Amino acid sequence: MASSGIQCFHSLIGGEANMPAELPPQPEPATLTPVPDEDAKDSENPFDGLPSVQEVIEQSRAPEEQAKEGRPKSPEGTDSRFTPQFLPSSASPLSDADAHSQMAMGEPAPRGFSFSPFLPVTRFCYKFVSPQWSQPLATAFFDANKIYNRPWDVYYIWSDHYHTGRPTTFVPEHQLQALIDEINQAFPEAHISLTEELREDGLVVNLDSLPNELRPLSLGRTSSRDQYDLLISTIPYPSQPTGTMPDERSLQAFKDMIDTMVELGKAKSKAKKKANQQVAVQRRQEMGKQVSRAQRYLGLLPTKKNELISGMTNLAVSHPDLNSPATQPFEQDVIIIAVDVEAYERSPKTITEVGVATLDTRDLRGEATGPNGEKWFKHIRGRHFRVAEYKNLRNHEFVEGCPDKFRAEFGTSEFAPKDDLPSMLTSCFHQPFSKQNATQTGPTAEEKRTIVLLGHDINQDITYLHSIGFSVLNRSNLAEVLDTATMFKSYTRDNNATSLGKVLYHFDIDVWNLHNAGNDAVYTMQAMLAIAVQAATEIESAEAERKVEEVLEKRTADAAELAKQKVEDEAEGWSLHGDEEDGYGATPLTEEEELESKQGAAKKPVFGPPRPGLYTMGGVPLDV
């Protein structure tokens, strides 16, 4: 026999004895309403009128769906650059195949991954971002615990080998990179990146060299501040180490790393700032050396012994004639090889494409450069390798991939099983160096040519290549590594990294179908030629000096305006007699001024997803 609604309710609360006491009789209203029959009352379901589970899910998803429908409009009177292009979701997807999601608590961190200390990550927008972007990024991605409200695979180190006051926590680098990708998607003009300086400062560390007894341990996956704090509270206090003690060298490296992590989470002292400034100056000098060495490889500057270790000097040289062949010797007779790697966005260790572009400087002899080196572009040999097992994977969330659009004038895509890819890449670094239709007469010994490796923000590409078993740096004939991102910084005197597409746009180089590894490798080679040639034409020129002065004046003016605005904001509202009623207090607002103030407050930009309303358990809105 089917149970009535009231019987189901009695069953849920553990019996009729647990029913609340009856309310005292209430006075009848003036207008009487019909009283339902007792039998009908018993048959009523107490859950009628409550929303279904599906309705609750749809209501919770409504703010996100509204955010996806289009870009939020910039409030009137605000700079649209600081308004996010989309409303970030607190549930950034992570691949179920992610190795970290399968880690048991207390298990040592897997090798082959780089990590970032989590405390500096939570303060990223304040410590590692220019002041004009700090607050917009903080409001959209960091404040009010937003930075915790996304999936993080947390690891920790708290060892008695070097005891600290609290555990040091880490997250995988690719999860920090996913956050940065979302920031750049929401604020395209921010150009946030994990620069080489940040890596050297310790924001990204490789822990593979640590012995097992010092490696970080898995703490678990968290997606809220409460979960994170709960996980931290479960970490056992470090006990006296047992077993084999690590050697002195490993232990010292471990202590230095922990000190760096702790320091990175603190505010910088004046001494630290001064030391960092000195290091920054040295880095900028190294950037300039990359440009000058590239020019010597290309016969655009006279050779200079010991240039690889000595500083760049101002030499009185004539500017190259773009319509005539290079007159200087091509230093070291090098082969320049550019690489680019594309990985699947949902699983960063899944390499889907590798591009290789080769330029033999012997082919440039007797050939005029042309503007931006464009007459040399035809000598670039492009290769595009696609991993056969992943040919159906295409990036589309953070960048629009185009693995099937390798430009025909560059070459033809080649499919290879992932196990064969390292050997195919190795062949690109040996004769005939990707040269098509190369003929060889008889079994002759291979000529060992000097190689220069090239890339755009190349560190990540090198890491990807090593992860598939291709040790691109392990070559006795490798002279050095050049980076077009670094070279362009030196050329423009700008500390901020610039995307490959914008570098090419700066030099009016024809570009389409970016984020195809083969295309990007060729584009990187073209960018290197353009930087080297254009910089050579501007050596000691009045026009170049004028551009440098203009850039410096603009940055100085921007910095002064920011400082002035900050001082004015901090000075607003102060008064010695603001609370006295003697006529010297603040002047009350007129009705019109008060109305304008309310309208201005209504127009204040709000970053991040809409905040849901608060309700009682019965569904009544709370007035808070």
Side-chain angles (χ1 to χ4, degrees):
M1 180 178 177
S3 300
S4 66
I6 195 65
Q7 289 174 336
C8 291
F9 184 74
H10 288 165
S11 176
L12 286 172
I13 65 173
E16 187 174 358
N18 293 325
M19 288 283 289
E22 292 184 359
L23 294 174
Q26 300 294 321
E28 293 184 356
T31 303
L32 296 178
T33 56
V35 179
D37 184 77
E38 285 297 324
D39 293 336
K41 184 177 181 180
D42 286 346
S43 63
E44 287 181 1
N45 191 331
F47 301 106
D48 287 344
L50 294 179
S52 66
V53 174
Q54 186 61 34
E55 290 174 339
V56 172
I57 293 175
E58 291 176 356
Q59 291 174 5
S60 65
R61 288 179 176 173
E64 291 186 24
E65 296 298 328
Q66 293 172 2
K68 294 178 181 178
E69 289 178 0
R71 169 185 171 184
K73 296 182 179 179
S74 301
E76 185 178 351
T78 63
D79 193 334
S80 61
R81 294 179 303 161
F82 304 118
T83 302
Q85 301 284 330
F86 78 105
L87 298 177
S89 170
S90 62
S92 300
L94 289 178
S95 171
D96 292 335
D98 193 333
H100 304 279
S101 64
Q102 310 299 326
M103 299 288 294
M105 185 174 181
E107 187 175 346
R111 298 184 186 273
F113 291 89
S114 295
F115 293 85
S116 296
F118 190 49
L119 182 58
V121 168
T122 63
R123 301 172 180 175
F124 184 88
C125 64
Y126 295 111
K127 293 180 65 67
F128 310 113
V129 174
S130 59
Q132 62 176 333
W133 291 104
S134 290
Q135 192 54 55
L137 268 58
T139 307
F141 289 92
F142 291 85
D143 288 353
N145 290 329
K146 291 188 184 74
I147 187 62
Y148 292 90
N149 297 337
R150 55 187 295 118
W152 295 107
D153 290 308
V154 184
Y155 295 80
Y156 75 93
I157 290 179
W158 205 16
S159 171
D160 209 53
H161 289 293
Y162 185 48
H163 188 61
T164 54
R166 65 176 70 179
T168 303
T169 53
F170 302 83
V171 294
E173 177 198 357
H174 69 261
Q175 293 183 357
L176 171 58
Q177 184 61 54
L179 170 64
I180 292 175
D181 290 341
E182 289 186 28
I183 291 175
N184 286 327
Q185 187 181 5
F187 299 93
E189 295 190 27
H191 303 303
I192 308 300
S193 65
L194 288 174
T195 63
E196 185 63 27
E197 291 86 348
L198 293 181
R199 294 177 184 274
E200 292 180 4
D201 287 344
L203 189 59
V204 177
V205 292
N206 189 303
L207 307 175
D208 287 355
S209 60
L210 292 179
N212 289 333
E213 56 269 20
L214 298 179
R215 290 185 61 73
L217 304 178
S218 173
L219 188 57
R221 176 166 288 186
T222 174
S223 57
S224 70
R225 180 61 185 265
D226 290 341
Q227 289 181 354
Y228 177 78
D229 291 341
L230 180 61
L231 288 176
I232 293 296
S233 67
T234 63
I235 298 177
Y237 195 82
S239 58
Q240 189 68 24
T242 58
T244 306
M245 287 288 293
D247 61 86
E248 187 63 28
R249 183 177 179 181
S250 297
L251 187 58
Q252 186 59 48
F254 174 75
K255 292 179 180 179
D256 292 343
M257 182 200 71
I258 294 298
D259 288 341
T260 301
M261 300 299 100
V262 173
E263 186 66 26
L264 197 62
K266 296 180 180 178
K268 295 182 179 179
S269 63
K270 291 184 178 179
K272 182 70 174 177
K273 288 182 178 179
K274 185 176 181 180
N276 288 346
Q277 176 64 19
Q278 294 175 346
V279 172
V281 171
Q282 294 175 355
R283 287 172 180 160
R284 291 168 194 149
Q285 293 173 344
E286 288 298 323
M287 292 178 188
K289 292 178 184 178
Q290 284 202 29
V291 176
S292 65
R293 291 198 296 269
Q295 290 169 336
R296 289 188 168 89
Y297 294 139
L298 298 170
L300 300 172
L301 280 182
T303 58
K304 181 176 182 293
K305 292 183 179 180
N306 302 323
E307 167 60 24
L308 292 179
I309 58 175
S310 64
M312 183 178 64
T313 59
N314 292 324
L315 302 176
V317 296
S318 59
H319 299 161
D321 183 356
L322 302 184
N323 297 315
S324 301
T327 58
Q328 304 296 338
F330 291 78
E331 190 173 279
Q332 299 190 58
D333 191 32
V334 302
I335 295 259
I336 305 175
I337 301 179
V339 295
D340 184 82
V341 182
E342 296 292 326
Y344 186 47
E345 58 198 358
R346 286 182 169 269
S347 180
K349 293 202 72 174
T350 301
I351 306 304
T352 57
E353 305 171 63
V354 178
V356 178
T358 305
L359 180 66
D360 189 343
T361 55
R362 290 180 182 176
D363 296 335
L364 308 182
R365 296 173 182 174
E367 184 92 31
T369 64
N372 297 326
E374 292 177 358
K375 291 186 178 180
W376 285 352
F377 288 2
K378 63 187 177 183
H379 297 295
I380 301 174
R381 310 164 190 169
R383 303 283 296 274
H384 180 222
F385 300 102
R386 295 183 62 184
V387 179
E389 291 87 339
Y390 307 131
K391 64 182 180 181
N392 293 324
L393 298 181
R394 179 190 295 265
N395 291 331
H396 61 86
E397 293 185 3
F398 304 119
V399 297
E400 193 63 36
C402 51
D404 54 346
K405 294 183 179 179
F406 184 44
R407 291 177 60 168
E409 60 267 38
F410 295 163
T412 305
S413 298
E414 305 169 56
F415 287 88
K418 62 180 180 179
D419 292 338
D420 294 345
L421 188 57
S423 61
M424 297 184 70
L425 293 174
T426 299
S427 69
C428 297
F429 286 74
H430 294 274
Q431 288 184 337
F433 296 103
S434 302
K435 189 172 185 178
Q436 299 297 321
N437 304 321
T439 58
Q440 184 174 348
T441 58
T444 59
E446 178 181 347
E447 180 186 6
K448 197 165 188 178
R449 301 283 303 277
T450 301
I451 293 175
V452 172
L453 186 64
L454 176 69
H456 190 84
D457 197 9
I458 195 173
N459 286 326
Q460 186 63 61
D461 295 311
I462 292 174
T463 301
Y464 282 149
L465 292 174
H466 285 185
S467 72
I468 62 174
F470 179 59
S471 299
V472 66
L473 299 180
N474 188 23
R475 305 185 180 281
S476 60
N477 59 334
L478 180 64
E480 69 168 315
V481 179
L482 297 179
D483 193 324
T484 49
T486 300
M487 294 173 65
F488 192 72
K489 283 183 182 180
S490 176
Y491 175 71
T492 58
R493 274 76 167 177
D494 191 346
N495 287 323
N496 297 317
T498 304
S499 67
L500 178 59
K502 289 191 175 181
V503 172
L504 298 167
Y505 178 79
H506 177 88
F507 294 106
D508 292 326
I509 296 176
D510 184 29
V511 56
W512 65 83
N513 292 333
L514 284 164
H515 303 298
N516 173 292
N519 292 340
D520 287 0
V522 175
Y523 291 149
T524 300
M525 188 71 74
Q526 293 178 350
M528 183 275 297
L529 292 175
I531 295 170
V533 170
Q534 190 61 31
T537 63
E538 297 176 358
I539 293 177
E540 296 184 350
S541 70
E543 180 66 16
E545 292 300 325
R546 185 184 63 80
K547 289 181 180 179
V548 172
E549 291 177 0
E550 287 180 354
V551 170
L552 182 60
E553 289 175 359
K554 184 178 184 304
R555 291 176 186 166
T556 302
D558 291 344
E561 182 62 29
L562 286 174
K564 178 183 177 183
Q565 186 63 45
K566 181 178 180 181
V567 171
E568 291 176 351
D569 291 344
E570 291 176 349
E572 186 176 359
W574 290 103
S575 173
L576 292 176
H577 310 285
D579 294 330
E580 298 181 6
E581 298 180 357
D582 55 1
Y584 293 98
T587 304
L589 297 176
T590 64
E591 292 184 2
E592 293 182 357
E593 291 174 336
E594 187 173 355
L595 179 60
E596 290 179 359
S597 175
K598 291 180 179 180
Q599 292 176 344
K603 295 179 181 179
K604 183 179 180 181
V606 177
F607 303 103
R611 297 180 176 86
L614 300 177
Y615 300 88
T616 66
M617 295 182 64
V620 178
L622 287 174
D623 184 13
V624 294

